[in-house]
Amino acid sequence: MSTPSPAPAYEIRVAEDPADREACFAVRKDVFVAEQNVPEDIEYDVYDADAVHVLAVREDGVPLGTGRLLHGAAAAAKNGDGDPAVGSLGRLAVTAAARGMGVGAALVRAVEAAARARGLTAVDLHAQTHALGFYERLGYRAYGPEFPDAGIPHRAMRRAL
């Protein structure tokens, strides 16, 4: 009887250098533009410049996933009540090869840590409806009606930090 080989190790880090940010954008292009047919011209937006981007990278350097945190006025414009103390988690994407490895949950926790470090009291997000259970398991609660974003059904969710 053989023992299963362990999944490749990965790390989560804030994408501070240009190469890491480009890796984040490449993951988003693979997942949102190629897989989900989100138009590329709406995938990247003005919020990217000031957002905190997090990146999951396999030990051999292959990017596995990304997410971003909006804070301040950018988050207030996106969250349900305009509260600047509430961050906005978005653009969470995990490559097809990395799904099921815990990368998505680790990215969410990294975004939450970045929010706490900025003194935020909660995190809002707009979840694709098929992912509601994933976010609920991480402590998020849906509120408000379903709405379309890039032609995909979503619900607003929030978790207090």
Side-chain angles (χ1 to χ4, degrees):
M1 182 172 168
S2 66
T3 57
S5 60
Y10 61 88
E11 71 166 331
I12 308 289
R13 63 182 181 238
V14 173
E16 293 178 337
D17 67 53
D20 278 356
R21 289 174 71 90
E22 286 305 314
C24 291
F25 297 147
V27 169
R28 285 168 47 184
K29 186 172 185 174
D30 287 349
V31 173
F32 295 126
V33 177
E35 282 184 38
Q36 297 182 358
N37 298 312
V38 172
E40 194 166 358
D41 62 330
I42 66 170
E43 172 51 32
Y44 308 101
D45 59 27
V46 297
Y47 299 114
D48 280 326
D50 295 322
V52 177
H53 298 269
V54 294
L55 176 66
V57 182
R58 203 167 62 192
E59 61 188 351
D60 61 3
V62 173
L64 302 176
T66 188
R68 77 175 185 189
L69 170 70
L70 303 182
H71 51 91
K78 290 251 190 205
N79 68 40
D81 51 15
D83 186 345
V86 177
S88 178
L89 185 159
R91 304 304 202 263
L92 186 74
V94 176
T95 63
R99 293 179 192 146
M101 295 172 40
V103 173
L107 287 164
V108 169
R109 295 305 186 218
V111 166
E112 292 170 351
R116 277 188 203 91
R118 284 158 180 77
L120 303 179
T121 60
V123 172
D124 253 29
L125 58 86
H126 294 164
Q128 293 181 9
T129 55
H130 73 82
L132 288 171
F134 166 77
Y135 289 111
E136 287 169 344
R137 287 188 296 278
L138 294 173
Y140 287 81
R141 296 292 165 249
Y143 66 90
E146 184 177 292
F147 60 93
D149 188 0
I152 300 167
H154 283 70
R155 291 276 312 274
M157 302 186 84
R158 179 173 289 185
R159 179 174 186 262
L161 297 177

